[in-house]
Amino acid sequence: MSELEMLTARARQLEADRDALQTEIEEARARLEEERAEVDARTKRLANRRRTRRSLITIAVVVVLVVGAATTWTALRWFEEETLRAEVTDVHGPAPVSPGEACVLRLARNYGPYNADLVVQCGDLRLYGFESFGALDCEVEDGRAVRCADDDTIAEGGDPRVRLDRASGTLAIDDEPRWGITLALR
């Protein structure tokens, strides 16, 4: 074999090696693209799971905060249920009671938008707290309702206006300007 033939054979071999290497490089590039696509897909799935997890954690935190705030708000407005005795001290207009009459006040917890239910009964006559009426807001100090108010009149809320003030020892019930009753707590 002549040197020219050997060089030609060697050139053919190098071209074949080059073609084989180019095929390997193209196959490696294709595998690399597939792996990149798979990594991108896994990254997106992981990011979506993390977003979902963060959203669920955020929702859980918000629920815990809302429940905690509602519980705290309820606890701050919580008071001991009690029965009080009172006596009618003043009446004006066509009020259904007379001065000197004995009355009983029952304060109970309410779990709705108001924190108390009040029933005022003088003998057999109920002055305040009929079925769905009688709900009012009370300020609470040391677990006791100290000031309560229902500022709507019969025309506005269906029951008379009521103001209880433990500091002054009075309960006022009225439908001004028509009639009014003041009771002294005993």
Side-chain angles (χ1 to χ4, degrees), residues 17-29 31:
D17 288 347
R18 184 196 65 202
D19 291 343
L21 287 174
Q22 276 185 324
T23 302
E24 281 183 41
I25 289 171
E26 288 172 12
E27 289 172 355
R29 282 185 181 152
R31 283 193 307 272

Side-chain angles (χ1 to χ4, degrees), residues 90-148:
D90 185 42
V91 174
H92 69 271
V97 293
S98 302
E101 281 192 55
C103 301
V104 176
L105 289 69
R106 281 188 295 283
L107 271 169
R109 289 185 282 270
N110 180 314
Y111 301 96
Y114 303 101
N115 67 337
D117 284 323
L118 174 65
V119 173
V120 178
Q121 188 139 348
C122 299
D124 292 334
L125 180 64
R126 184 173 288 186
L127 297 176
Y128 186 82
F130 301 93
E131 295 181 21
S132 64
F133 298 109
L136 66 164
D137 266 323
C138 294
E139 293 177 32
V140 177
E141 292 177 10
D142 296 325
R144 290 181 63 202
V146 292
R147 279 175 296 289
C148 302

Side-chain angles (χ1 to χ4, degrees), residues 59-182:
I59 289 169
V61 166
V62 168
V63 167
V64 166
L65 289 175
V66 168
V67 168
T71 302
T72 301
W73 184 75
T74 300
L76 291 175
R77 295 169 33 103
W78 195 268
F79 62 92
E80 290 298 318
E81 295 184 8
E82 56 186 319
T83 299
L84 305 170
R85 306 260 178 240
E87 181 178 318
V88 177
T89 57
D90 185 42
V91 174
H92 69 271
V97 293
S98 302
E101 281 192 55
C103 301
V104 176
L105 289 69
R106 281 188 295 283
L107 271 169
R109 289 185 282 270
N110 180 314
Y111 301 96
Y114 303 101
N115 67 337
D117 284 323
L118 174 65
V119 173
V120 178
Q121 188 139 348
C122 299
D124 292 334
L125 180 64
R126 184 173 288 186
L127 297 176
Y128 186 82
F130 301 93
E131 295 181 21
S132 64
F133 298 109
L136 66 164
D137 266 323
C138 294
E139 293 177 32
V140 177
E141 292 177 10
D142 296 325
R144 290 181 63 202
V146 292
R147 279 175 296 289
C148 302
D150 175 355
D151 290 322
D152 293 333
T153 62
I154 290 174
E156 297 165 335
D159 52 4
R161 181 173 29 217
V162 171
R163 287 170 307 287
L164 171 67
D165 185 356
R166 298 291 274 277
S168 67
T170 60
L171 172 75
I173 303 174
D174 66 62
D175 192 30
E176 291 294 342
R178 296 178 355 140
W179 60 269
I181 303 166
T182 303

